[in-house]
Amino acid sequence: MKAAIISDVHGNLPALEAVLSAIDGERVDELWCLGDLVGYNADPEACTLAVIERSQICLAGNHDLVVNGSIDLSVFAHDAAVAARWSQKALSAHALELLQALSPEGEREGVDLYHASPRDHVWEYVIDNRTAQACLKLLRHDLCLIGHSHVPLRYRPGPDMLAVGGYSEPGELELGDGRWILNPGSVGQPRDGDPRAAYLVLDLDARTATWRRVDYDIARAQRAIVEAGLPETLAWRLGEGR
Ligand code: ZN
């Protein structure tokens, strides 16, 4: 069983198209999405429809929950709030209904799936070793996939208070029979300084995880942001991977 894992697409259609076409060449059995289909970028409708149609499981992220009305928009800072309000208007009733049906946590093939973390499915950032260690204790299964931070990451239990791991360069990791929390990174708004779109291939038979990066037409995504009247900082940060 081989699955491609994507997260944090955030309405970036050029990035999503590049990732889906790369995944077509991977010969995977399934596609799993860890949430945040919308927000920040200018194509929430196309991204929502494409991912929900193509994936076997898709979680809700915090942006999906704000845009679909489950969480009040006042929780967001400026750019995120502007983009969420814009997305609410841009989405069809059908796409909003699809977003309303999603949950921020799930399970597939014995793997725990959360948008943010096992402790707080919607908001917690697992980006440091102490938080990761606390979260590793809460797993229902050996493997857990999370998104939300937009950074490719891996953590396994450490000797005491601190998990071992951190940033994941592109490449393969042997999972052995250990416990892991893995983050594929973000398709639509990478924040690790590498502007290329990110995804992960999880091979449950070989017990490997492989982080991938793909080039996409960043200028096209930036133009779409500007033409939609969204904050220009959202276009700028795509080019920086921030
Ligand atoms: Zn996100």
Side-chain angles (χ1 to χ4, degrees), residues 87-131:
S87 302
Q88 282 176 332
K89 290 190 187 127
L91 285 165
S92 66
H94 172 60
L96 281 168
E97 242 169 62
L98 293 174
L99 289 179
Q100 269 150 9
L102 306 179
S103 161
E105 57 102 22
E107 185 194 321
R108 185 96 186 153
E109 300 283 331
V111 179
D112 294 350
L113 310 173
Y114 301 99
H115 176 64
S117 103
R119 203 154 58 165
D120 173 342
H121 306 165
V122 179
W123 294 107
E124 182 173 53
Y125 287 96
V126 185
I127 47 175
D128 65 275
N129 299 60
R130 187 172 300 267
T131 306

Side-chain angles (χ1 to χ4, degrees), residues 22-227:
I23 287 171
D24 281 339
E26 297 271 7
R27 286 194 277 162
V28 297
D29 303 297
E30 298 201 348
L31 175 68
W32 305 350
C33 176
L34 306 175
D36 274 356
L37 296 172
V38 303
Y40 295 130
N41 290 279
D43 285 298
E45 176 87 10
C47 291
T48 299
L49 298 181
V51 173
I52 289 180
E53 195 207 307
R54 180 140 175 196
S55 58
Q56 279 66 38
I57 185 165
C58 180
L59 305 183
N62 51 317
H63 288 255
D64 304 323
L65 293 168
V66 167
V67 167
N68 77 19
S70 305
I71 295 176
D72 193 85
L73 205 138
S74 62
V75 295
F76 272 158
H78 181 72
D79 286 356
V82 170
R85 203 171 289 120
W86 181 90
S87 302
Q88 282 176 332
K89 290 190 187 127
L91 285 165
S92 66
H94 172 60
L96 281 168
E97 242 169 62
L98 293 174
L99 289 179
Q100 269 150 9
L102 306 179
S103 161
E105 57 102 22
E107 185 194 321
R108 185 96 186 153
E109 300 283 331
V111 179
D112 294 350
L113 310 173
Y114 301 99
H115 176 64
S117 103
R119 203 154 58 165
D120 173 342
H121 306 165
V122 179
W123 294 107
E124 182 173 53
Y125 287 96
V126 185
I127 47 175
D128 65 275
N129 299 60
R130 187 172 300 267
T131 306
Q133 182 81 345
C135 289
L136 280 158
K137 294 200 176 111
L138 299 175
L139 301 191
R140 295 169 294 182
H141 300 92
D142 282 349
L143 296 180
C144 172
L145 299 168
I146 59 169
H148 191 50
S149 68
H150 299 205
V151 177
L153 294 162
R154 62 178 80 170
Y155 292 105
R156 62 185 165 83
D160 37 40
M161 294 291 285
L162 298 179
V164 176
Y167 184 65
S168 271
E169 301 278 350
E172 185 177 292
L173 170 70
E174 302 269 350
L175 299 169
D177 53 8
R179 229 164 214 248
W180 291 92
I181 292 177
L182 310 174
N183 189 322
S186 168
V187 171
Q189 194 195 71
R191 294 181 189 162
D192 59 344
D194 182 345
R196 294 176 298 168
Y199 70 99
L200 179 78
V201 176
L202 183 65
D203 188 329
L204 290 173
D205 303 314
R207 296 281 294 180
T208 58
T210 309
W211 281 264
R212 303 259 198 235
R213 301 304 282 253
V214 283
D215 287 311
Y216 74 96
D217 190 346
I218 294 176
R220 186 181 141 209
Q222 290 173 319
R223 273 198 308 276
I225 287 171
V226 174
E227 280 162 17

